[in-house]
Amino acid sequence: MTVVIGFEGSANKIAVGIIRDGEVLSNPRRTYITPPGQGFLPGETAKHHRGVILTVLQEALNEAGLKAADIDCVAYTKGPGMGAPLVTVAIVARTVAQLWGKPLLGVNHCIGHIEMGRLITNAQNPTVLYVSGGNTQVIAYSERRYRIFGETIDIAVGNCLDRFARVIKISNDPSPGYNIEQMAKKGTKYIDLPYTVKGMDVSFSGILSYIEDAAHKLLSTGQCMPEDLCFSLQETLFAMLVEITERAMAHCGSQEVLIVGGVGCNLRLQEMMGVMCKERSARLFATDERFCIDNGAMIAQAGWEMFRSGHVTELSDSWITQR
């Protein structure tokens, strides 16, 4: 049996997960949360990660009931992500691999999300919608590679939601996206927003600029409530995502959709995608916040797949990339 430990820290989550042949043995994490109206800066996020990563590592080993000798391979997020947090995790992963005498594996963060989604849902060959704070892509596996069929041409959908949350001072605890989702449930008035789909790609920066500008006017004159703006933004963004996902499904002849990434936890997005899938007699697969949001087990799972296929990252190649 192959046991892989995975280190994740590409953004504001620091996590360590352990996988043994498809079984999640442990998956603890911590989140760096900033005050309302603020985002998280790379240097401060990395400082948070440095302060707790060894505690999270010990938690993961204790929860799994394993010792260093039981681990077969050490996997870490090589990228994409924020530079300083990625470096923090890479240094710890390199050090642990050398101390324990274990092979090291640099994992693509995006592939980690997809492989974890496939493991948890048992989706066979899905069209993947990967939506998070840093990424928005429609991906499918074709000719021995994951290929990007459509993506954002500017900012990610999660970044759009997070930045809007700052405008109307929504709390970052547990996450701005989750709080927008809860407020959107109370929204009753739909505000028309720009809808920008360009072929297989989407653009969110114009929508964000428009709603940032409109929010102050609409709220100050009492034309709508903050809940209405959350509702309108969600409906518009998610409709765009459903459209490009359906187009990719038609192109690939796929009958499965898998939603991964932090925004994939959103039940309204899952509901809208489910309606589209039902119309196409297709199946929708999604996971909950344990595995949608950045976690260590997803890096361990992608590492497990790579290690079993004969991949190893040499120490000289154990750099990180923000791209």
Side-chain angles (χ1 to χ4, degrees), residues 174-189:
S175 73
Y178 174 80
N179 293 327
I180 284 178
E181 180 184 0
Q182 304 317 308
M183 288 178 69
K185 291 175 182 174
K186 300 170 188 168
T188 54
K189 185 178 180 181

Side-chain angles (χ1 to χ4, degrees), residues 250-271:
H251 181 82
C252 300
S254 170
Q255 286 299 104
E256 294 180 335
V257 175
L258 172 63
I259 307 177
V260 298
V263 181
C265 297
N266 190 297
L267 297 180
R268 179 57 184 152
L269 174 59
Q270 292 181 21
E271 181 185 6

Side-chain angles (χ1 to χ4, degrees), residues 290-301:
R290 291 173 302 164
F291 304 114
C292 257
I293 296 170
D294 291 350
N295 62 92
M298 73 183 206
I299 302 304
Q301 175 61 16

